[in-house]
Structures are given as C-alpha cells and as structure tokens.
Amino acid sequence: MRFAPLVFALICLLVLFTGLDRVGFLDWREARDVQVSRELTGRREPLTPLLAHESWLEKPILAYAPDVVAGLIHGETPRNSRLMRALAVLALLLVTASIGGQHFGARAGWIAAGVLATSFATPLAARTDAGQALGALFGWVGCAGFADALFNRRGGRASRLVVAWGALAAALVIAGPLPALWPLGGLALYVLLARPPRGMAAVQPLAGLAVMLGLALPWYGAMIERHGGSFLSRMAFFPYAMDPRGPWYAGPVLMASFLVVGFFPWSALLPGAMLHAAISWRAARRALAGAEAPPAHESEYDPIARERHEEGAAHFFIACTLAALVPIAIYPAPPLSAALTAMPAAALLCARFLDHLFEDARRVAAPLARAVLMLAVVGSAGALLLAAVAPQIREASPELRLLASLLLVTSWAPFLANFVGRRRVAAALIALPVALGVPVVAYRVMPAMEEYLNTRAVAEAMATAAPPSAALVLAEPAPPSLRLYTRRNLVAVDSLASGLYEWRASDSLTYVAFRAEREHEVALAANAPLEIMLRTPAMVLARARVR
C-alpha cells in the first residue's frame, strides 16, 4: 500500500499524459470542439455554441470550457487542450479511488482507480471528449453522495448530499439531462431491488431536484427563449445531439458492445466480478441469518457488518452500471467514449474482486483463470486483425505490426502468470495492454497515421502554394480540422462548375479540396486538367485553370 500512489501516478503518466502533442487536432470530435471554443471566444458569445457562425446545439456551452480555458491561457495547441481533458479524467480517477476506499477499503480504492485508468475508453475520452469526461466526473460525485447516504457512513452526510446534488446540477449544465439523471436511475433500480430501510428518502430527492433545476434553469430557459423548438428537440440528447440518428435496434447492442470494448482489457474480468458479488451476497445472507446488526458506528470494526456493507455497495454499483449504459441506447450515434460513464462502477466491482484475490487467492482462482483465458483469446484476435490491416495502411504498416505484437504478448502474459500459479501477478498484468499500448499508439501509430486522422497537411499545403487571398473551394462540408487549421476562406459550393469558375484566385487558378472518390466529378466540373497538389487519405488538394 505504501507504493500505491506512486504506481497510480506512473499509470496516469503513461495513459493520460503521454504524447499529447504528437499529432494535430483529430477530426473525430476534437477539432470540432476546439473550433467551437475558438468561435465562442472570438465572438464573446455567452450562451449559444457556434460553429461556422451558426448555432451548434450539440451540448451545453460549459462543455467547451476546457478548450476555452486552454486557448485563453496557453493558446490553441493540441497539447494544452488535451491536458485540460486529461486533468478532468484524472479527477474522475481520484473520485473513483475515493469511493472504492470508502466502501471497500483503501487497497480496493487504489485498485479501482488503476483499473479505470488502464481501460481502453479512458485515454480515448481524455483525448477527444471533454463533455463526457466532465459529465462522468460530476455524475460520479453525485453517486458518491448517494452511496454515502444509503449505507449510513459516519460524519458529514448532509453536507455530502449537498455536494452530490450540486455535482448533478453541474452535470446538467455541462453535459445535459442524461448524464445528470442516470445516477437517479441507478439509485431507483437499487432501491427497487434491494429495498433498503429508508429507500429514496435517504437522498432527499425532491430537495435535490429543486437544487438541480434552480441552477440549470437560467441557461436552459435562456436557450429555450432564444432557439425554441430546435433547442427542445435536441436537449434530451446532449452531449451528442447533432450526430445522425442510427437505427432504433442499434441502441441495446451498443450498450453491451461499448462496455465490452471500452472496458477492455478488464471486461474479461467483469462477468466474474459481478458473479462474485452475487454469490458472496447469497453466502453472506446465509451467514447473517438471525444475526443482529451492530450499530452503524461499529460497522468498520465488525466483520459481519463490514461484509454486509460491502455487499450492499457492490449491488448499488451493479445498478449504477446498468443505469449508466441506458443513455448509450438513447443517444443518436454515440462515440465509444460514451461508455466512460459506466466504467467507474465496473472498475469498482473489479477492484472488490481483486481485493479479495489479494486476501485469499484461492477464493477467486476459478473466475480469474477464466478471465485471463478470455483476455488471451480476445487479445490474439485483436492482434491478428491489426496484422491483417497493417499492409493496407502503408504509411503506418510497421507501427501497426508493432502494436499487434505488443497486444499479443500483453494479452497472453496474465494467462502465463496464472498458469505458473502467480495469481496476484496475473491480475496486475491485465493492465498491460492499455498501460503499454497507449504510449506506443501516441508516439508511433498516430503520428504515422495522422493524414488519416485530420487534414492539417492539406491546410499547410494550401498556405504554402496559394496566394494569400485565395479561397479554397470544397466539394462537401469542410472537415473540422480543415476549418481549424486553414486561415483561408472556405467555400462549400452547391454547383461545382459555377463555383470553380467564380472563386478563381489572383493567379487565375482555382484551389479545390475533395475526397478521393470525387476526383472524377471535380475534374468534369472544372473542364480542365487537375493539378494534384497533395493527396492524403482524408482529402485531396488540387488546382485547375478553369475557363
């Protein structure tokens, strides 16, 4: 336990703060959020998020606060923007450690934070999704207060409830209704199934909802007055309200698949951890039959009461896992980072399992063996997939092979350690695929694949070759990174033929950008030979002398 903070700091350094400046802003959500924050700052808009000078009702305006702060303090650089998001995720890890320490013990708390840090969706959200990171942080502060009230922890319960409801109010104005209300869903599910003595009354829901509404109504009311029905139709789907809606039946599938993929590699251990909680609960109920419960202040010293408390908390976190997955089924087309909300609960369940492993390895030997075997199988499949894809991406083929080799080795390492009887070592080695994989991806894979991830190279080529006043004609809406990096007038035209003629530059050439599959269409519209200035996987930059 003495070295737990040092190990945790090392994990965070590897997973959250490694290679933040190795590539430019990514088109996958990150560049768009930074562009919105730039327009908010430039136009001094206090209420409505803006993109291309139009209202962008994807999520509340405070979700862009990390990017706004990074831009105001240090300027718009990927490193500073990602650093702000990484700090939000670090705060979530510390909250998870605090919850685990409070209900399962200090060792379990540190384990829970380490499990969450080395899950796949955690570094992904830390680099691309500030709204989800902040929403998960404040949602879990609320859950911590609810758990404290439910399980009658000593001291400051009223003040912790105030903090809990204040945090959910913050989630409401930062991330939206679903990120703020799922903790209430988890609480209601637990109360329905477990029927604790005070039920929902333990958290004073009416007063808490009044606090949430009182803090959130000023912004929501102003936005309803300003935008009316367009805001109301999107409000329920924050922070992903502008994404295209997928088929209705995809939602339940995404709930399970996002948890499995986002919680990798620990998702191999999660079924065993949940089953362990259920089995030990039944055993505890048999052992506790007829036993008189000690006073609440003695629960920390009475093993029977302590076991009862841990079981109740574990069941509450199972309910929170299910409730936190429900918004994924409701969002129009959520990214994988949406699974971050459910992952602290899963990490806490795994931490309790691993804490029992350190106490008595034989107690959980069988589920651990199944978990490391499953990880080896899934990791091998992932490594084979990466190896198969590598030849198709020539720019990053060596890096993808390196990542495949690392994934294969780190996925089998826990199985081999368990095979020789080193169960505690095997459990610790489960963290390796993400703990070692993130630095490799940050330093090797993503720089090699940057032209697939953003259009910075196109913007730089345009700045170098075109006259200062030249416009860039687009065959489709501009990718977020092109809008962010290009200091030129971007013109998305409805008719390519007339647009290419109208927007000729001072050198009598028209500069145009398009996806590779539209090259023939652009050449026909130009009615002149296209000079390809730069061809990247994301976009092609060309010019032509249109007459």
Side-chain angles (χ1 to χ4, degrees):
M1 282 301 298
R2 290 180 301 172
F3 302 104
L6 293 177
V7 174
F8 174 71
L10 176 61
I11 290 174
C12 290
L13 182 64
L14 289 173
V15 172
L16 299 181
F17 301 102
T18 297
L20 297 183
D21 58 351
R22 296 292 291 173
V23 297
F25 293 108
L26 307 181
D27 269 323
W28 196 73
R29 196 168 299 278
E30 182 187 25
R32 188 173 65 196
D33 286 355
V34 174
Q35 177 63 22
V36 171
S37 70
R38 174 194 286 180
E39 295 196 30
L40 289 174
T41 304
R43 299 189 59 165
R44 301 183 183 276
E45 170 57 52
L47 290 176
T48 305
L50 301 171
L51 182 64
H53 309 293
E54 300 289 339
S55 60
W56 182 255
L57 305 178
E58 181 183 42
K59 50 191 171 186
I61 193 168
L62 288 181
Y64 301 100
D67 292 314
V68 170
V69 171
L72 291 176
I73 296 177
H74 299 292
E76 289 174 356
T77 65
R79 179 183 180 277
N80 296 325
S81 178
R82 291 166 187 161
L83 179 61
M84 298 298 294
R85 291 191 289 274
L87 290 175
V89 173
L90 176 61
L92 175 63
L93 298 179
L94 294 175
V95 168
T96 304
S98 175
I99 296 173
Q102 187 179 30
H103 297 287
F104 301 141
R107 179 171 58 191
W110 287 115
I111 293 173
V115 168
L116 181 57
T118 53
S119 300
F120 177 62
T122 300
L124 180 66
R127 282 164 168 78
T128 61
D129 200 343
Q132 190 60 253
L134 292 172
L137 169 61
F138 289 110
W140 274 98
V141 172
C143 280
F146 291 169
D148 177 80
L150 279 174
F151 303 112
N152 198 24
R153 304 298 292 166
R154 289 189 298 163
R157 187 172 58 187
S159 62
R160 290 175 185 174
L161 270 181
V162 172
V163 172
W165 286 109
L168 294 184
L172 183 58
V173 297
I174 290 174
L178 289 177
L181 294 178
W182 71 259
L184 286 173
L187 175 65
L189 180 60
Y190 173 77
V191 169
L192 178 65
L193 297 177
R195 301 187 182 278
R198 296 183 59 196
M200 293 289 289
V203 302
Q204 303 178 26
L206 295 181
L209 289 172
V211 170
M212 291 178 63
L213 291 175
L215 293 176
L217 276 179
W219 182 77
Y220 278 88
M223 291 295 289
I224 292 172
E225 190 277 333
R226 178 181 284 191
H227 298 285
S230 62
F231 177 79
L232 287 171
S233 64
R234 293 184 173 93
M235 179 180 69
F237 306 111
F238 288 164
Y240 307 114
M242 296 297 288
D243 290 331
R245 179 166 292 281
W248 65 268
Y249 53 81
V253 177
L254 290 179
M255 287 173 57
S257 59
F258 273 25
L259 181 62
V260 171
V261 177
F263 199 50
F264 177 84
W266 298 101
S267 51
L269 187 65
L270 182 58
M274 298 179 75
L275 184 62
H276 173 69
I279 291 175
S280 58
W281 176 63
R282 289 197 296 268
R285 289 196 64 178
R286 288 194 297 269
L288 296 173
E292 182 179 352
H297 67 276
E298 296 180 6
S299 63
E300 294 185 2
Y301 310 103
D302 186 280
I304 295 179
R306 183 65 188 176
E307 182 71 15
R308 180 182 299 171
H309 171 84
E310 287 193 9
E311 294 302 333
H315 301 147
F316 174 67
F317 296 136
I318 291 175
C320 287
T321 304
L322 298 176
L325 290 173
V326 170
I328 295 176
I330 299 175
Y331 293 140
L336 181 59
S337 55
L340 181 67
T341 306
M343 285 165 42
L348 289 164
L349 293 170
C350 289
R352 182 171 180 269
F353 177 94
L354 295 174
D355 188 52
H356 290 175
L357 172 70
F358 281 96
E359 289 177 356
D360 182 6
R362 293 172 299 178
R363 181 180 179 185
V364 292
L368 177 67
R370 291 192 293 268
V372 295
L373 177 60
M374 179 60 68
L375 176 60
V377 172
V378 173
S380 299
L384 290 174
L385 180 62
L386 284 172
V389 170
Q392 310 301 319
I393 306 177
R394 291 173 296 175
E395 299 86 348
S397 184
E399 288 76 12
L400 289 174
R401 292 194 186 97
L402 171 63
L403 183 61
S405 301
L406 178 67
L407 179 59
L408 181 65
V409 172
T410 55
S411 297
W412 277 95
F415 176 83
L416 296 176
N418 185 71
F419 183 76
V420 298
R422 301 290 185 177
R423 295 189 179 92
R424 296 179 179 87
V425 175
L429 292 178
I430 296 177
L432 289 184
V434 170
L436 298 183
V438 168
V440 171
V441 171
Y443 279 104
R444 296 288 301 273
V445 178
M446 292 184 68
M449 295 184 63
E450 182 167 7
E451 292 186 350
Y452 289 84
L453 304 174
N454 62 38
T455 57
R456 180 168 66 168
V458 173
E460 292 174 350
M462 179 69 182
T464 301
S469 60
L472 180 59
V473 178
L474 301 171
E476 54 260 326
S481 62
L482 185 65
R483 190 178 300 278
L484 187 65
Y485 282 112
T486 303
R487 305 297 182 181
R488 304 299 180 90
N489 185 22
L490 301 178
V491 183
V493 296
D494 295 326
S495 171
L496 277 173
S498 59
L500 292 173
Y501 179 81
E502 179 182 357
W503 292 100
R504 289 176 297 174
S506 59
D507 58 359
S508 300
L509 297 172
T510 300
Y511 294 82
V512 59
F514 49 88
R515 288 179 285 115
E517 57 266 27
R518 300 195 65 176
E519 182 172 344
H520 181 66
E521 178 187 351
V522 173
L524 289 177
N527 196 25
L530 287 180
E531 178 188 351
I532 304 299
M533 302 168 60
L534 181 67
R535 187 185 298 276
T536 71
M539 183 161 278
V540 178
L541 178 65
R543 59 187 176 188
R545 194 174 299 276
V546 182
R547 297 183 176 84

